[in-house]
Structure formats: structure tokens, C-alpha cells
Amino acid sequence: MSNISEKIKDLRLEQGLTQPQLAKAIGVSNGTISFWENGLNTPNSNYIIKLAKVLQTTTEYLLSADNIANTITNQQIKQLSQDEIILIEAYRNMSQGKKQALFSMLDINPHFTELPAQGKNNDNSRK
């Protein structure tokens, strides 16, 4: 999946929902869902939150660009323990230097020279 329109459609189908069912669940018209899934419009932040809840995913997943983190399936996300979620969120809020120190402490050599920047303004909560 590469963009939000594909993610919405794929997650909707994965949940066994029709466009009208999803529309009713989040309070929009059937046409709005169709527009979103066809990339003709993009949901605002309020609807991103509602979509994440109904589609049993995270707002970050819906908004993120394709990268290695997106290879995690929704089923794997659901299986994360609360401790794992806390650790992931703490990692995402670390400075670049702290991330590098963590890799060093764990004796992990990442395959990239610079870690991707993750600002504290990202919506990293699991909805």
C-alpha cells in the first residue's frame, strides 16, 4: 500500500465492510468514502481518527508513507503487548542522538547511516 486511499479501501475490505457501512460508522456520505478511496479527496484529521478506530488501525499507519515499518500487518499490530506499544512510542519521541545511543547500547548496527526523523508532533498514539 502506498497512499491513504489504498489503505482505506484495503482496510475496509479486510474488515468486511461495504462503503455504505463505513460511511455510516464514521458519519459521512457513501460518496465521501468513494472519493477517499479513489484519491479524489483526503479525509481531514477528525475523520482520520474515526477511520483508524473503525478500521482497527492507527492514525500513523493511515498517514504514513511506505517504508519498512509499513510491512507490519494489521494482525501483527493487534498482537503487540502494551509494553511494546509504550516502547515504540518512546522510541519515536527520542532525539536522533538518543536513538543512535540506543542502537549502540543494544549492539545493533542499523542498515542506514541516518535514522529517519520522527518529530514529537506526529500522532503516534494507538487508536
Side-chain angles (χ1 to χ4, degrees):
M1 285 185 241
S2 62
N3 61 46
I4 192 166
S5 60
E6 292 172 353
K7 291 175 185 178
I8 292 169
K9 182 175 182 177
D10 289 346
L11 290 167
R12 175 181 61 78
L13 294 173
E14 188 177 298
Q15 294 296 318
L17 297 171
T18 63
Q19 285 184 345
Q21 289 170 325
L22 178 57
K24 183 176 180 180
I26 64 170
V28 297
S29 70
N30 299 350
T32 298
I33 301 297
S34 178
F35 274 34
W36 291 344
E37 289 185 357
N38 289 300
L40 301 175
N41 202 341
T42 304
N44 67 31
S45 60
N46 292 330
Y47 290 117
I48 295 288
I49 293 167
K50 291 178 181 184
L51 284 164
K53 287 179 182 177
V54 172
L55 298 174
Q56 298 180 17
T57 192
T58 64
T59 56
E60 183 175 80
Y61 174 76
L62 288 172
L63 295 170
S64 65
D66 273 345
N67 58 38
I68 191 124
N70 288 340
T71 61
I72 298 174
T73 66
N74 279 337
Q75 187 62 32
Q76 290 169 318
I77 291 170
K78 292 175 193 174
Q79 293 173 350
L80 291 175
S81 71
Q82 192 62 35
D83 287 342
E84 290 170 315
I85 293 167
I86 291 167
L87 289 169
I88 291 168
E89 290 182 9
Y91 173 82
R92 289 178 178 162
N93 288 316
M94 284 181 184
S95 69
Q96 189 73 19
K98 286 184 178 180
K99 287 178 182 179
Q100 290 172 341
L102 178 63
F103 276 101
S104 177
M105 182 181 76
L106 297 173
D107 198 26
I108 297 172
N109 185 13
H111 297 288
F112 38 81
T113 57
E114 184 171 285
L115 296 170
Q118 291 277 337
K120 290 189 178 189
N121 293 332
N122 289 345
D123 180 0
N124 294 325
S125 60
R126 189 163 192 251
K127 303 287 180 190

